[in-house]
Amino acid sequence: MIFISIKGCTRGINMEAKVIFDRFLSSRGMRRTAPRDKVVNVFLKIEKHISTQDLYSIVHRTHKEIGYATVARTLKLLDEAGLCRKVDFGDGTVRYEHKYKHEHHDHLACTGCGKLIEIYNKKLEKIQDELVKKHGFIQKSHRLNIFGLCPKCQKRKA
Amino acid sequence: MIFISIKGCTRGINMEAKVIFDRFLSSRGMRRTAPRDKVVNVFLKIEKHISTQDLYSIVHRTHKEIGYATVARTLKLLDEAGLCRKVDFGDGTVRYEHKYKHEHHDHLACTGCGKLIEIYNKKLEKIQDELVKKHGFIQKSHRLNIFGLCPKCQKRKA
DNA sequence: GTTCTATTGATAATGATTATCAATATCTAA
DNA sequence: TTAGATATTGATAATCATTATCAATAGAAC
């Protein structure tokens, strides 16, 4: 199932994000290469939750010479550089979403059609923080995915 | 990583749960068999979040004749019968937890040692319900996993 | 007991991810 | 600018969890 965000928006290649990525590479003693550059460019242009396979297919259209492994490795690097975030909807495929200049959010997904809504609620975050503190933990991350039926799918099934 | 619940407790085989499972089987025109019975017995005795492989290993100790596929299939049935629930911590392995006579809860997991705390908060649930309604959805399920460092692991790393 | 067919267990297939490695491209220092 | 050291690449193999296959087996109804 393809999860499509309704909050998606298109913008030009994010130069700031690219600079961050390049800095990240050099801070690790890694090299800036043409294949990495191309994969990053394509990723930054797509405002969707995409799997490695998805991104590979898109990259492959314009850059036949770039292999699956490079796409997978570059997504991992983007994650480590803080430019994207892994999202797991529990269907066996990890997806990635943009993180740079994107607010933290949770997900409301329709199990009928895959429609995906990004949700955010301050109270929700606050209560979580309190619960974490209560147990003496230091929070690293959290993942809230709500699954349900969207209005359209409710009608379709009725 | 093995996630160990600190809320785990041991009790005898839950006869009520077994009755529910048997009714579930016959309602589907499925048969009650010795292998299924054994797998269910073992599962009901273990109050942990376990993977298929985990349960297979445990079952295998006392029932060498039972195969992996049967364990996997029986866990699926237990899920469908409402006796267990899939839990996904995003590490590539699906785990199952008890659901019969167990309140709904979310998870607070330590990324250092795998310690797992089951958390529940009414407000958290209420806010989620409101968010879902606001978007016209009907909620089917949700999954909230918080990841962080437990007090012990904080000290160990300091 | 006989018959029908659901179930089993071994194993193959699948699908996503990760590892391997020889060939290649990048970076750095002279 | 070039040469050398080595990070990176792309193809593919390996891995891991899960799911599908199928002949043999064993419930259930008569």
Side-chain angles (χ1 to χ4, degrees):
Chain A
M1 178 180 287
I2 300 166
F3 288 93
I4 304 157
S5 171
I6 62 160
K7 282 192 72 186
C9 59
T10 308
R11 55 170 98 171
I13 295 172
N14 194 320
M15 294 311 288
E16 291 177 57
K18 290 209 71 183
V19 170
I20 290 174
F21 188 66
D22 288 346
R23 277 206 205 118
F24 168 79
L25 287 180
S26 68
S27 77
R28 281 216 188 171
M30 302 177 89
R31 292 172 183 172
R32 183 178 174 183
T33 67
R36 282 214 259 254
D37 235 47
K38 289 171 186 168
V39 173
V40 170
N41 282 346
V42 173
F43 176 77
L44 290 176
K45 272 196 277 193
I46 299 166
E47 289 277 342
K48 276 182 189 171
H49 300 72
I50 53 173
S51 65
T52 306
Q53 183 60 57
D54 291 339
L55 186 57
Y56 170 70
S57 300
I58 297 167
V59 168
H60 190 72
R61 280 184 219 146
T62 46
H63 306 289
K64 300 259 185 275
E65 77 283 6
I66 294 179
Y68 182 92
T70 299
V71 174
R73 284 183 292 230
T74 306
L75 275 171
K76 194 159 178 270
L77 289 174
L78 281 165
D79 186 21
E80 288 162 9
L83 293 173
C84 74
R85 186 167 81 111
K86 279 189 182 184
V87 193
D88 183 355
F89 293 120
D91 67 341
T93 307
V94 169
R95 264 163 269 265
Y96 296 86
E97 65 180 12
H98 287 239
K99 193 171 163 192
Y100 179 65
K101 293 248 171 121
H102 288 66
E103 298 298 324
H104 164 74
H105 57 263
D106 299 310
H107 295 105
L108 172 58
C110 178
T111 54
C113 64
K115 180 173 165 179
L116 190 65
I117 293 178
E118 297 178 353
I119 56 177
Y120 177 79
N121 185 286
K122 270 192 184 173
K123 276 192 213 161
L124 214 55
E125 305 288 322
K126 199 183 163 194
I127 293 171
Q128 286 179 49
D129 287 341
E130 287 168 7
L131 282 169
V132 170
K133 273 184 197 163
K134 201 179 96 184
H135 289 96
F137 275 54
I138 291 176
Q139 184 167 176
K140 295 273 187 189
S141 66
H142 76 258
R143 190 162 60 218
L144 170 62
N145 294 324
I146 304 176
F147 299 94
L149 274 186
C150 74
K152 275 190 191 174
C153 287
Q154 289 170 41
K155 279 183 195 164
R156 196 151 47 78
K157 293 209 174 177
Chain B
M1 176 180 287
I2 300 166
F3 288 93
I4 304 157
S5 171
I6 62 161
K7 284 191 72 187
C9 60
T10 308
R11 56 170 99 168
I13 294 172
N14 192 321
M15 292 313 286
E16 290 176 57
K18 291 210 69 183
V19 170
I20 290 173
F21 188 66
D22 288 347
R23 278 205 206 122
F24 168 79
L25 287 180
S26 68
S27 78
R28 280 217 190 171
M30 302 177 90
R31 294 173 181 168
R32 183 178 174 182
T33 67
R36 282 214 258 254
D37 233 48
K38 288 170 186 168
V39 173
V40 171
N41 282 346
V42 172
F43 176 77
L44 290 176
K45 272 196 278 193
I46 298 166
E47 289 277 342
K48 276 182 191 171
H49 300 72
I50 53 173
S51 65
T52 306
Q53 183 59 59
D54 291 339
L55 186 57
Y56 170 70
S57 300
I58 297 167
V59 167
H60 190 72
R61 280 185 219 144
T62 46
H63 306 288
K64 300 256 185 277
E65 77 283 5
I66 293 178
Y68 182 92
T70 299
V71 174
R73 284 184 290 232
T74 305
L75 275 172
K76 195 159 178 269
L77 289 174
L78 281 165
D79 186 20
E80 288 161 9
L83 294 172
C84 75
R85 186 167 81 110
K86 279 189 182 184
V87 193
D88 183 354
F89 293 120
D91 68 342
T93 307
V94 169
R95 266 162 267 263
Y96 296 87
E97 65 180 13
H98 287 238
K99 193 170 161 190
Y100 178 66
K101 293 244 171 123
H102 287 68
E103 298 299 324
H104 164 74
H105 57 264
D106 299 309
H107 295 105
L108 172 58
C110 178
T111 54
C113 64
K115 180 173 167 179
L116 190 64
I117 294 177
E118 297 177 353
I119 55 177
Y120 178 78
N121 185 287
K122 270 192 186 173
K123 276 191 215 162
L124 215 54
E125 305 287 324
K126 200 183 164 196
I127 293 171
Q128 285 179 50
D129 286 342
E130 288 168 5
L131 282 169
V132 170
K133 273 184 198 162
K134 200 179 94 184
H135 288 95
F137 274 54
I138 291 177
Q139 185 167 174
K140 295 272 184 189
S141 66
H142 76 258
R143 190 161 60 218
L144 170 61
N145 294 323
I146 305 176
F147 299 94
L149 274 185
C150 73
K152 275 190 189 172
C153 287
Q154 288 169 41
K155 279 184 196 165
R156 196 151 45 79
K157 293 207 174 179

